[in-house]
Amino acid sequence: MNNDLKGRIDRVSLVSLNLAWGFMNKKYGLPETRPNNPYHETEQHLTIDRNGLVRFNSFYIDGQKEMVTPIRRQRFLMKPEQISRLFAYLHEIFDGGYPPYTITDGPTWHLAIANQQGQIYQYEGMMVQDEWLLGLNGVLHECVDRIDGLWGVEC
């Protein structure tokens, strides 16, 4: 499958899931949150469009009660130079595609990038100490600096 990012980016959506099968809920067999997370969040959704509108939502997944609870919600505008920097870095990483990961255990990320023709490119992997992902994590934290506790793609 050819997954080389082409064209101008219109929208980016990143979902970070902070679950690991090592933290099992005995009753339902669902993972629990990582205990060192200050917000006790299990999932974060970050969407950024070409106009700089940032939408951020986070959730707690409770395996015992089988509930998904919204925790935080933020919306704001990024500066044009921040959007340019982030989108340029995404092109730098994904223009040549991205090697697929087999996700077996641990926190994961899923990235969807839509271009101006409506094509959607999807990438996913584990939040690991990968050179590309650490770079993306740094650029995310530099460009989306108004969100406290953004996981990005670093475990």
Side-chain angles (χ1 to χ4, degrees):
M1 177 172 116
N2 184 357
N3 208 18
D4 299 356
L5 177 61
K6 301 294 179 214
R8 188 191 78 216
I9 296 174
D10 271 0
R11 185 183 66 253
V12 174
S13 297
L14 176 66
V15 175
S16 300
L17 187 60
N18 195 26
L19 298 176
W21 294 106
F23 300 98
M24 295 298 290
N25 175 304
K26 293 177 185 172
K27 185 173 181 182
Y28 293 102
L30 296 174
E32 296 175 337
T33 59
R34 294 160 113 1
N36 60 349
N37 185 326
Y39 296 101
H40 208 58
E41 294 172 340
T42 49
E43 192 167 312
Q44 291 185 344
H45 295 229
L46 176 67
T47 302
I48 303 168
D49 70 22
R50 72 172 185 266
N51 298 316
L53 177 61
V54 176
R55 293 181 303 266
F56 174 76
N57 298 294
S58 66
F59 306 90
Y60 169 66
I61 301 170
D62 185 337
Q64 292 182 343
K65 296 179 183 173
E66 295 184 351
M67 293 176 54
V68 176
T69 305
I71 297 176
R72 297 190 291 155
R73 179 176 298 164
Q74 283 181 259
R75 288 182 181 216
F76 57 90
L77 287 173
M78 289 174 64
K79 297 175 186 169
E81 58 271 15
Q82 291 173 315
I83 300 163
S84 295
R85 169 106 169 91
L86 177 60
F87 286 7
Y89 192 80
L90 290 170
H91 267 293
E92 185 180 322
I93 294 174
F94 297 110
D95 273 350
Y98 188 79
Y101 276 86
T102 301
I103 301 169
T104 58
D105 182 19
T108 60
W109 58 272
H110 178 84
L111 178 67
I113 302 174
N115 70 9
Q116 79 274 17
Q117 287 93 18
Q119 297 166 314
I120 298 176
Y121 300 87
Q122 298 191 42
Y123 311 94
E124 60 186 10
M126 293 186 72
M127 289 192 269
V128 295
Q129 299 290 326
D130 180 292
E131 181 180 327
W132 289 349
L133 297 180
L134 288 175
L136 176 56
N137 187 63
V139 172
L140 272 172
H141 283 86
E142 173 188 321
C143 295
V144 188
D145 57 1
R146 292 178 52 187
I147 299 175
D148 183 35
L150 176 66
W151 298 338
V153 290
E154 183 180 34
C155 185

Coordinates of all heavy atoms in Angstrom, one line a residue, residues 33-72:
T33 N -5.9 2.8 33.5 CA -5.0 3.9 33.1 C -3.7 3.7 33.8 O -3.5 3.0 34.8 CB -5.6 5.2 33.6 OG1 -5.8 5.2 35.0 CG2 -6.9 5.6 32.9
R34 N -2.7 4.4 33.2 CA -1.4 4.4 33.8 C -1.4 5.2 35.1 O -1.9 6.3 35.0 CB -0.4 4.9 32.8 CG -0.2 4.1 31.6 CD 0.4 4.9 30.5 NE 1.7 4.7 30.0 CZ 2.7 3.9 30.2 NH1 2.6 3.1 31.0 NH2 3.8 3.9 29.6
P35 N -0.9 4.7 36.2 CA -1.1 5.4 37.4 C -0.4 6.8 37.5 O -0.7 7.6 38.3 CB -0.5 4.4 38.5 CG 0.3 3.5 37.7 CD -0.2 3.5 36.3
N36 N 0.7 7.0 36.7 CA 1.4 8.3 36.8 C 0.8 9.4 36.0 O 1.4 10.5 35.9 CB 2.9 8.0 36.4 CG 3.0 7.6 35.0 OD1 2.1 7.2 34.4 ND2 4.2 7.5 34.5
N37 N -0.3 9.2 35.3 CA -1.0 10.2 34.5 C -1.7 11.2 35.4 O -2.6 10.8 36.1 CB -1.9 9.6 33.5 CG -2.5 10.6 32.6 OD1 -2.8 11.7 33.0 ND2 -2.8 10.2 31.4
P38 N -1.3 12.5 35.5 CA -1.9 13.4 36.4 C -3.4 13.6 36.2 O -4.1 14.0 37.1 CB -1.1 14.7 36.2 CG -0.6 14.6 34.8 CD -0.3 13.1 34.6
Y39 N -3.9 13.5 35.0 CA -5.3 13.7 34.7 C -6.1 12.4 34.7 O -7.3 12.4 34.6 CB -5.5 14.3 33.4 CG -4.9 15.7 33.3 CD1 -3.7 15.9 32.7 CD2 -5.5 16.8 33.9 CE1 -3.1 17.2 32.7 CE2 -5.0 18.1 33.9 CZ -3.8 18.2 33.2 OH -3.2 19.5 33.2
H40 N -5.4 11.3 34.9 CA -6.1 10.0 34.9 C -6.8 9.8 33.6 O -7.9 9.2 33.5 CB -7.0 9.8 36.1 CG -7.1 8.3 36.5 ND1 -6.1 7.6 36.9 CD2 -8.2 7.5 36.6 CE1 -6.5 6.4 37.2 NE2 -7.8 6.3 37.0
E41 N -6.2 10.3 32.5 CA -6.8 10.2 31.2 C -6.4 8.9 30.5 O -5.3 8.5 30.7 CB -6.3 11.4 30.3 CG -6.9 12.7 30.8 CD -6.2 13.9 30.0 OE1 -5.2 13.7 29.4 OE2 -6.8 15.0 30.1
T42 N -7.2 8.4 29.7 CA -6.9 7.2 29.0 C -6.8 7.4 27.5 O -6.2 6.7 26.8 CB -7.9 6.0 29.2 OG1 -9.2 6.5 29.1 CG2 -7.7 5.5 30.6
E43 N -7.4 8.5 27.0 CA -7.5 8.8 25.6 C -7.5 10.3 25.3 O -8.2 11.0 26.0 CB -8.7 8.1 25.0 CG -8.7 8.1 23.5 CD -9.7 7.2 22.9 OE1 -9.8 6.0 23.4 OE2 -10.4 7.6 22.0
Q44 N -6.7 10.8 24.4 CA -6.7 12.2 24.0 C -6.9 12.2 22.5 O -6.4 11.4 21.7 CB -5.4 12.8 24.3 CG -5.1 13.0 25.7 CD -3.8 13.7 26.0 OE1 -2.9 13.9 25.1 NE2 -3.6 14.2 27.2
H45 N -7.7 13.2 22.0 CA -8.0 13.5 20.6 C -7.6 14.9 20.3 O -8.0 15.9 21.0 CB -9.5 13.4 20.3 CG -10.0 12.0 20.5 ND1 -10.8 11.4 19.6 CD2 -9.9 11.1 21.5 CE1 -11.1 10.2 20.0 NE2 -10.6 10.0 21.2
L46 N -6.7 15.1 19.3 CA -6.3 16.4 18.9 C -6.5 16.6 17.4 O -6.1 15.7 16.6 CB -4.7 16.5 19.2 CG -4.0 17.8 18.7 CD1 -4.5 19.0 19.5 CD2 -2.5 17.6 18.9
T47 N -7.2 17.6 17.0 CA -7.5 17.9 15.6 C -7.1 19.3 15.3 O -7.4 20.2 16.1 CB -9.0 17.7 15.3 OG1 -9.4 16.3 15.6 CG2 -9.3 17.9 13.8
I48 N -6.4 19.5 14.2 CA -5.9 20.8 13.8 C -6.2 21.0 12.4 O -5.9 20.1 11.5 CB -4.4 21.0 14.0 CG1 -4.0 20.7 15.5 CG2 -3.9 22.3 13.6 CD1 -2.5 20.5 15.8
D49 N -6.9 22.1 12.0 CA -7.2 22.3 10.6 C -6.3 23.3 10.0 O -5.5 24.0 10.7 CB -8.7 22.6 10.3 CG -9.1 24.0 10.8 OD1 -8.3 24.9 11.0 OD2 -10.3 24.1 11.1
R50 N -6.3 23.5 8.7 CA -5.4 24.4 8.0 C -5.5 25.9 8.4 O -4.7 26.7 8.2 CB -5.5 24.3 6.5 CG -6.8 24.9 5.9 CD -6.8 24.9 4.4 NE -8.0 25.6 3.9 CZ -9.1 25.0 3.6 NH1 -9.2 23.7 3.7 NH2 -10.1 25.7 3.1
N51 N -6.7 26.2 9.0 CA -6.9 27.6 9.5 C -6.4 27.8 10.9 O -6.5 28.9 11.4 CB -8.4 27.9 9.4 CG -9.0 27.9 8.0 OD1 -8.3 28.4 7.1 ND2 -10.1 27.2 7.9
G52 N -5.9 26.8 11.5 CA -5.3 26.9 12.8 C -6.2 26.6 14.0 O -5.9 26.7 15.1
L53 N -7.5 26.1 13.7 CA -8.4 25.8 14.7 C -7.9 24.5 15.4 O -7.8 23.4 14.7 CB -9.8 25.6 14.2 CG -10.9 25.2 15.3 CD1 -11.0 26.2 16.4 CD2 -12.2 25.0 14.6
V54 N -7.7 24.5 16.7 CA -7.3 23.3 17.4 C -8.5 22.9 18.3 O -9.0 23.7 19.0 CB -6.1 23.6 18.3 CG1 -5.7 22.4 19.2 CG2 -4.9 24.1 17.5
R55 N -8.8 21.6 18.2 CA -9.8 21.0 19.1 C -9.1 19.9 19.8 O -8.5 19.0 19.2 CB -11.0 20.5 18.2 CG -11.8 21.6 17.6 CD -12.9 21.1 16.8 NE -12.6 20.1 15.8 CZ -12.4 20.4 14.5 NH1 -12.4 21.6 14.1 NH2 -12.1 19.5 13.6
F56 N -9.2 19.9 21.1 CA -8.6 18.9 22.0 C -9.6 18.4 23.0 O -10.3 19.2 23.6 CB -7.4 19.5 22.8 CG -6.8 18.6 23.8 CD1 -6.0 17.6 23.4 CD2 -7.1 18.8 25.1 CE1 -5.4 16.7 24.3 CE2 -6.5 17.9 26.1 CZ -5.7 16.9 25.7
N57 N -9.8 17.1 23.0 CA -10.7 16.4 24.0 C -9.9 15.3 24.6 O -9.1 14.6 24.0 CB -11.9 15.9 23.3 CG -12.7 16.9 22.6 OD1 -13.3 17.8 23.3 ND2 -12.8 16.9 21.3
S58 N -10.2 15.0 25.9 CA -9.6 13.9 26.6 C -10.7 13.1 27.3 O -11.7 13.7 27.7 CB -8.5 14.3 27.5 OG -9.0 15.0 28.6
F59 N -10.4 11.8 27.5 CA -11.4 10.9 28.1 C -10.8 10.0 29.1 O -9.6 9.7 29.0 CB -12.1 10.1 27.0 CG -12.7 10.9 25.8 CD1 -11.9 11.3 24.8 CD2 -14.0 11.4 25.9 CE1 -12.4 12.0 23.7 CE2 -14.5 12.2 24.9 CZ -13.7 12.5 23.8
Y60 N -11.7 9.5 30.0 CA -11.3 8.4 30.9 C -12.2 7.3 30.6 O -13.4 7.4 30.5 CB -11.5 8.9 32.3 CG -11.4 7.7 33.3 CD1 -10.2 7.0 33.5 CD2 -12.5 7.2 34.0 CE1 -10.0 6.0 34.3 CE2 -12.4 6.2 34.9 CZ -11.1 5.5 35.0 OH -11.0 4.5 35.9
I61 N -11.6 6.1 30.3 CA -12.3 4.9 30.1 C -12.3 4.0 31.3 O -11.2 3.6 31.8 CB -11.7 4.1 28.9 CG1 -11.7 5.0 27.6 CG2 -12.4 2.8 28.7 CD1 -10.9 4.4 26.5
D62 N -13.4 3.8 31.9 CA -13.6 3.1 33.1 C -14.1 1.7 32.8 O -15.2 1.5 32.4 CB -14.6 3.8 34.1 CG -14.7 3.1 35.4 OD1 -14.4 1.9 35.6 OD2 -15.1 3.8 36.4
G63 N -13.2 0.7 32.9 CA -13.5 -0.7 32.6 C -14.5 -1.3 33.6 O -15.3 -2.2 33.2
Q64 N -14.5 -0.9 34.8 CA -15.4 -1.5 35.8 C -16.9 -1.0 35.5 O -17.8 -1.8 35.7 CB -15.0 -1.1 37.2 CG -13.7 -1.8 37.6 CD -13.3 -1.4 39.0 OE1 -13.8 -0.5 39.6 NE2 -12.4 -2.2 39.6
K65 N -17.1 0.2 35.2 CA -18.4 0.7 34.9 C -18.8 0.7 33.5 O -19.9 1.1 33.1 CB -18.5 2.1 35.5 CG -18.4 2.2 37.0 CD -18.5 3.6 37.5 CE -18.2 3.7 39.0 NZ -18.2 5.1 39.4
E66 N -17.8 0.3 32.6 CA -18.0 0.3 31.1 C -18.5 1.7 30.7 O -19.4 1.8 29.9 CB -19.0 -0.8 30.7 CG -18.5 -2.2 31.0 CD -19.5 -3.2 30.5 OE1 -20.6 -2.9 30.1 OE2 -19.1 -4.4 30.5
M67 N -17.8 2.7 31.1 CA -18.1 4.1 30.8 C -16.9 4.8 30.2 O -15.8 4.6 30.5 CB -18.6 4.9 32.0 CG -19.9 4.4 32.6 SD -20.3 5.3 34.1 CE -20.2 7.0 33.6
V68 N -17.2 5.7 29.2 CA -16.3 6.6 28.7 C -16.7 8.0 29.2 O -17.8 8.5 28.8 CB -16.2 6.6 27.2 CG1 -15.2 7.6 26.6 CG2 -15.8 5.2 26.7
T69 N -15.8 8.7 29.9 CA -16.2 10.0 30.5 C -15.3 11.1 29.9 O -14.1 11.0 30.0 CB -15.9 9.9 32.1 OG1 -16.7 8.8 32.6 CG2 -16.3 11.2 32.7
P70 N -15.9 12.1 29.3 CA -15.1 13.2 28.9 C -14.5 14.0 30.1 O -15.1 14.1 31.1 CB -16.1 14.2 28.2 CG -17.3 13.3 28.0 CD -17.3 12.3 29.0
I71 N -13.2 14.4 30.0 CA -12.5 15.0 31.1 C -12.2 16.5 30.8 O -12.6 17.4 31.5 CB -11.2 14.3 31.4 CG1 -11.5 12.9 31.9 CG2 -10.5 15.1 32.5 CD1 -10.3 12.1 32.2
R72 N -11.6 16.7 29.6 CA -11.2 18.1 29.3 C -11.6 18.4 27.8 O -11.6 17.5 27.0 CB -9.7 18.3 29.4 CG -9.2 18.1 30.8 CD -7.7 18.5 30.9 NE -6.8 17.6 30.2 CZ -5.6 18.0 29.7 NH1 -5.2 19.3 29.8 NH2 -4.8 17.2 29.1

